[in-house]
């Protein structure tokens, strides 16, 4: 059993920044993938960024150069630094963890970008 707890969401103006955090607890084996997905109103959930245990990283094209994902393996925590935010970044951001052929999801944290 794995639990994911997210924090850091909120409301910002266009051009602003937010930093999301997600801490995992429970049956963590030490080799796992963590990342972030988001879902805008009326749209499908999409991958934002993912990072594996070897610090291999992938980003969605829409966030490259603006968002940075990182992880602290000792804390089983993943971060998402979001800069130069625009209204299209608005949505619910979900933390995700993959381990031993299982996917785990956080409850989601709201990010709103508006002027």
């Amino acid at each position: 059993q794995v639990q994911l707890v997210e924090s850091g969401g909120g409301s910002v103006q266009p051009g602003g920044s937010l930093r999301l955090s997600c801490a995992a607890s429970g049956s963590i084996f030490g080799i796992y993938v963590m990342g972030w997905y988001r879902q805008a109103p009326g749209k499908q959930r999409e991958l934002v960024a993912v990072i594996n245990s070897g610090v291999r990283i992938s980003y969605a094209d829409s966030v490259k150069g603006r968002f940075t994902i990182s992880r602290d393996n000792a804390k089983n925590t993943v971060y998402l630094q979001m800069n130069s935010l625009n209204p299209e970044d608005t949505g619910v951001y979900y933390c995700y963890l993959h381990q031993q052929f299982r996917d785990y999801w956080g409850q989601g944290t709201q990010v709103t970008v508006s002027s």
Side-chain angles (χ1 to χ4, degrees), residues 85-101:
L85 287 162
N86 58 61
E88 288 69 44
D89 296 314
T90 294
V92 179
Y93 284 67
Y94 297 91
C95 182
Y96 136 89
L97 183 150
H98 177 82
Q99 176 184 261
Q100 294 288 307
F101 311 110

Side-chain angles (χ1 to χ4, degrees), residues 4 15 23 41-42 48-49 55 62 71-72 74-75 77 81 85 94 106 114:
L4 303 175
V48 176
V55 200
S62 60
R71 65 187 285 169
D72 183 339
K75 299 287 187 181
T77 299
Q81 178 67 46
L85 287 162
Y94 297 91
S114 63

Side-chain angles (χ1 to χ4, degrees), residues 5-115:
V5 179
E6 300 139 322
S7 62
S11 298
V12 297
Q13 295 182 2
S17 298
L18 286 171
R19 190 182 191 227
L20 307 182
S21 299
C22 174
S25 62
S27 301
I28 308 299
F29 301 146
I31 301 175
Y32 55 91
V33 175
M34 295 188 74
W36 294 92
Y37 285 71
R38 69 185 181 188
Q39 188 165 21
K43 298 181 180 179
Q44 286 189 302
R45 186 177 299 184
E46 64 175 350
L47 177 67
V48 176
V50 64
I51 182 169
N52 70 8
S53 296
V55 200
R56 295 285 188 178
I57 298 171
S58 295
Y59 294 100
D61 288 341
S62 60
V63 307
K64 285 182 179 177
R66 300 188 298 120
F67 292 9
T68 303
I69 190 171
S70 60
R71 65 187 285 169
D72 183 339
N73 289 331
K75 299 287 187 181
N76 294 326
T77 299
V78 65
Y79 306 93
L80 186 67
Q81 178 67 46
M82 304 186 293
N83 298 326
S84 301
L85 287 162
N86 58 61
E88 288 69 44
D89 296 314
T90 294
V92 179
Y93 284 67
Y94 297 91
C95 182
Y96 136 89
L97 183 150
H98 177 82
Q99 176 184 261
Q100 294 288 307
F101 311 110
R102 293 286 304 276
D103 293 317
Y104 302 90
W105 296 92
Q107 290 293 312
T109 184
Q110 178 70 43
V111 171
T112 302
V113 185
S114 63
S115 58

